[in-house]
Amino acid sequence: EKGGYDHFMLKEIYEQPRSIYDSMRGRIYPLDGKVQLGGLVEYSEKLRNANRIIIVACGTSWHAGLVGEYLIEEFARLPVEVEYASEFRYRNPIINENDIVIAISQSGETADTMAAIQLAKEKGATLLGICNVVGSSIPRLTHGGAYTHAGPEIGVASTKAFTAQVTVLTLMALYIAQIKGTISQSKLISLLTELETIPSLVEETLKTNDQIIQIASELQDSRNCIFLGRGTGFPVALEGALKLKEISYIHAEGYPAAEMKHGPIALIDEEMPVIVIATKNSSYEKVISNIQEVKARKGKVVAIVTEGDVDVKDMADYSIEIPHADEAFLPLLATIPLQLISYHIAVMRGCNVDQPRNLAKSVTVE
Ligand code: M6R
């Protein structure tokens, strides 16, 4: 049932070219520059007139929400707030009929996320779900939404569900942009044309596996690890850190790279691996200076770079090349090597990768 893989997690990592494809299948029309999301059509008027979007989720799904915030604000010019469901539900939040609340959940059963949307429903908000398990509780509670169609995810550490959530959020951002008229037709055509190639770029990215095994063997005895990124690279860093903590039990933290000098830089010494998303996009130059700050304190830098990069490669101790893609699609590619790093480190440390201690696949109690 693991399809020849040692663990479900590895199988699910390798399924991503397919699962990402499945989450956009039948929903994008690159030639016409059109996005179609059946479960949102009924709410297109609401979306056009919404004041803001509030995303509620937990764990990895919350990280996907942060990516969604960047994309929706960028393309649809609609303010987005991303909330931990557990905090939102107990805060007497300010919500009304003009708000759209999006719940993101792989299982569709997470107790805090369910309670958060129940509360939003009572206050008259329109509820949309982004869930993976068909027929689960959250899709039944929400007015509309879109399934991620990633297929069953067995490993406790979420991998393909995350990239599917990000894919659906990308589609939602473009869909809202389309109905609000905040994106040009030509931009939509070029983004959708590129989005269609992402599954094959993910396939390419998976080829970094052998190199990652080498890097993992160098990092496996670390006691701590820092993940840095800017823009959508920041939620990717948070997700990388969560993955490492939950399956290898190495203490890890994700930070926006520029926040380093506001505290965490004090932790850097030769024992501290720092994994940096340093791909060629709008924050490239800034990330380079963040890497210099780490190197000056003898930190060990592992950089995720764009194919053909030379500048970061010179500075970093190890670099992992991923294909070039539009900034909007960066999370779908940059996440892959981080999943693999965590996986291999956990295996090398003899951890139970698919069922880490103290964790359950679905958290149905608060
Ligand atoms: O099923 P959900 O997406 O609602 O689950 C939320 C979190 O419990 C989940 O993402 C958790 O953080 C994963 N173990 C992360 O790998």
Side-chain angles (χ1 to χ4, degrees):
E1 66 204 39
K2 290 181 199 142
Y5 290 96
D6 288 344
H7 299 94
F8 282 110
M9 182 182 177
L10 191 61
K11 172 175 178 262
E12 289 157 6
I13 290 173
Y14 273 87
E15 275 170 356
Q16 288 173 109
R18 177 73 211 202
S19 53
I20 292 173
Y21 170 76
D22 285 339
S23 58
M24 57 175 128
R25 191 158 51 109
R27 292 172 166 171
I28 63 168
Y29 299 88
L31 295 176
D32 307 328
K34 202 171 159 30
V35 181
Q36 202 156 1
L37 286 167
L40 295 196
V41 174
E42 224 182 298
Y43 305 97
S44 55
E45 211 40 47
K46 278 267 178 201
L47 284 164
R48 202 195 325 270
N49 300 318
N51 290 333
R52 59 171 180 165
I53 289 182
I54 301 165
I55 295 177
V56 294
C58 306
T60 285
S61 299
W62 184 80
H63 297 153
L66 290 180
V67 176
E69 173 180 17
Y70 280 91
L71 298 177
I72 296 169
E73 292 199 345
E74 169 74 15
F75 295 121
R77 309 305 298 152
L78 188 60
V80 179
E81 284 163 39
V82 188
E83 302 263 5
Y84 283 115
S86 56
E87 288 297 315
F88 178 82
R89 63 180 287 200
Y90 288 116
R91 211 188 47 233
N92 190 13
I94 302 161
I95 332 167
N96 61 44
E97 312 77 57
N98 293 324
D99 291 326
I100 310 273
V101 175
I102 303 179
I104 308 176
S105 174
Q106 188 287 130
S107 62
E109 302 293 347
T110 300
D112 280 319
T113 310
M114 268 167 65
I117 55 173
Q118 245 140 9
L119 179 67
K121 197 177 214 172
E122 284 158 23
K123 300 196 181 241
T126 298
L127 311 183
L128 302 175
I130 299 179
C131 297
N132 195 44
V133 177
V134 175
S136 55
S137 304
I138 294 173
R140 284 188 277 120
L141 269 165
T142 45
H143 298 110
Y147 281 113
T148 43
H149 296 306
E153 189 180 68
I154 311 293
V156 164
S158 184
T159 53
K160 64 173 180 172
F162 174 74
T163 48
Q165 290 164 342
V166 170
T167 305
V168 169
L169 283 158
T170 307
L171 298 182
M172 280 194 181
L174 296 176
Y175 179 79
I176 303 168
Q178 168 184 290
I179 58 179
K180 288 188 70 191
T182 50
I183 190 166
S184 72
Q185 194 64 8
S186 58
K187 178 81 182 165
L188 206 44
I189 291 175
S190 78
L191 284 173
L192 294 176
T193 306
E194 185 169 346
L195 183 57
E196 216 175 21
T197 70
I198 294 295
S200 66
L201 298 186
V202 170
E203 195 81 64
E204 275 300 300
T205 308
L206 287 165
K207 293 187 186 144
T208 55
N209 188 52
D210 288 346
Q211 188 202 353
I212 289 175
I213 294 175
Q214 296 295 315
I215 298 173
S217 70
E218 298 289 329
L219 302 187
Q220 60 171 311
D221 296 321
S222 309
R223 300 197 50 222
N224 301 286
C225 188
I226 291 181
F227 289 76
L228 300 177
R230 301 177 79 116
T232 53
F234 164 50
V236 170
L238 289 177
E239 175 58 9
L242 177 61
K243 227 78 307 177
L244 190 64
K245 297 183 241 218
E246 65 180 338
I247 62 168
S248 76
Y249 317 139
I250 293 175
H251 169 239
E253 301 213 38
Y255 262 96
E259 275 294 305
M260 279 278 291
K261 55 169 84 61
H262 300 283
I265 202 161
L267 294 167
I268 309 285
D269 61 15
E270 49 280 296
E271 310 260 280
M272 178 67 89
V274 181
I275 301 182
V276 190
I277 318 297
T279 48
K280 283 239 167 76
N281 53 49
S282 56
S283 50
Y284 181 69
E285 303 295 331
K286 303 270 180 202
V287 173
I288 288 188
S289 39
N290 299 136
I291 293 175
Q292 282 162 339
E293 291 157 10
V294 173
K295 282 316 298 173
R297 281 140 193 109
K298 303 198 165 51
K300 214 187 285 169
V301 172
V302 179
I304 313 296
V305 301
T306 304
E307 228 161 41
D309 180 279
V310 281
D311 299 331
V312 174
K313 263 183 138 171
D314 276 353
M315 281 182 270
D317 297 79
Y318 309 96
S319 43
I320 302 167
E321 294 196 17
I322 64 172
H324 174 79
D326 189 280
E327 194 157 352
F329 308 132
L330 166 73
L332 293 173
L333 303 180
T335 301
I336 311 289
L338 304 191
Q339 295 170 342
L340 288 168
I341 289 178
S342 295
Y343 171 78
H344 290 297
I345 291 179
V347 170
M348 288 168 190
R349 289 166 70 97
C351 299
N352 186 344
V353 172
D354 284 335
Q355 281 182 298
R357 67 186 184 202
N358 310 337
L359 288 170
K361 182 64 186 162
S362 130
V363 183
T364 53
V365 290
E366 69 168 296

